[in-house]
Amino acid sequence: MVIKNVELEIVCGITSKLPDTDLMEIAFAGKSNVGKSSLINALLNRKSLARTSATPGKTQTINFYNVNKELYLVDLPGYGYAKVSPKEKEQWGKLIERYLNTSKKLKAVFLLIDIRHEPTANDKMMYDWIVYHGYNPIIIATKLDKLKRSQIQKHIKMVKQGLDLIPGTKVIPFSSVTKQGREEIWDLVKTMEDEEDDRTE
């Protein structure tokens, strides 16, 4: 994917009305410190478009990045470690749920999981929740560069078993440092775009 222009076009907070867009949307979900901002920056070839932070839970809004005026990458609020009140976490949950339920253009949800560790209860809950809303999430196993090559297959298996994935679910190992997995993600998105174009012709 050649990135010609990118713009953070829409930001939705807890009380915002969600946009009714006319471009395909691809959403990214994951816990607060899983590397979601780093992934989005790597996909878009930008250093700091999505704000990365040492403090987990920085994304407290749904952010719509317009890519080449062709599609939106949608960054969902992180779950898990953020030091916020239970009430706020509940509101974020409702915001994500509202988005999953109402978006007419959401084509796929990518769920980010840290490849180094077994999926947490929160990860499993999020996976089941996305499936419940009618999507079959594509798993991005982040922080690949932190593993030795010989460990990768074992850890992918651990992720698959930990989430109890639907058979055939795609798992893409990814590193924001080496950019491994970037092209595979864009190839998938391109296939979805082509399918969308065929449908609208």
Side-chain angles (χ1 to χ4, degrees), residues 31-42:
K31 72 180 175 209
S32 303
N33 63 344
V34 75
K36 199 154 43 69
S37 298
S38 300
L39 167 82
I40 288 170
N41 287 330

Side-chain angles (χ1 to χ4, degrees), residues 27-133:
F28 294 86
K31 72 180 175 209
S32 303
N33 63 344
V34 75
K36 199 154 43 69
S37 298
S38 300
L39 167 82
I40 288 170
N41 287 330
L43 286 175
L44 298 175
N45 283 338
R46 299 291 190 275
K47 279 218 162 54
S48 55
L49 188 68
R51 282 188 307 234
T52 56
S53 164
T55 314
K58 205 69 181 155
T59 309
Q60 300 179 11
T61 50
I62 297 183
N63 298 334
F64 290 72
Y65 295 93
N66 186 325
V67 184
N68 294 347
K69 310 233 179 300
E70 287 173 23
L71 64 109
Y72 287 105
L73 295 192
V74 181
D75 185 8
L76 300 175
Y79 56 85
Y81 290 141
K83 288 180 182 169
V84 294
S85 68
K87 185 174 186 295
E88 241 184 310
K89 281 185 187 172
E90 190 188 337
Q91 286 177 313
W92 291 356
K94 285 182 177 161
L95 176 64
I96 296 171
E97 186 165 27
R98 195 154 52 96
Y99 172 66
L100 293 178
N101 277 334
T102 59
S103 172
K104 298 186 186 80
K105 287 291 191 175
L106 179 58
K107 185 72 180 168
V109 181
F110 286 90
L111 177 61
L112 281 64
I113 303 290
D114 187 330
I115 196 169
R116 298 171 300 172
H117 311 297
E118 276 192 48
T120 62
N122 272 334
D123 289 330
K124 177 74 177 118
M125 205 185 323
M126 191 67 180
Y127 174 75
D128 291 341
W129 200 48
I130 295 166
V131 170
Y132 172 77
H133 284 289

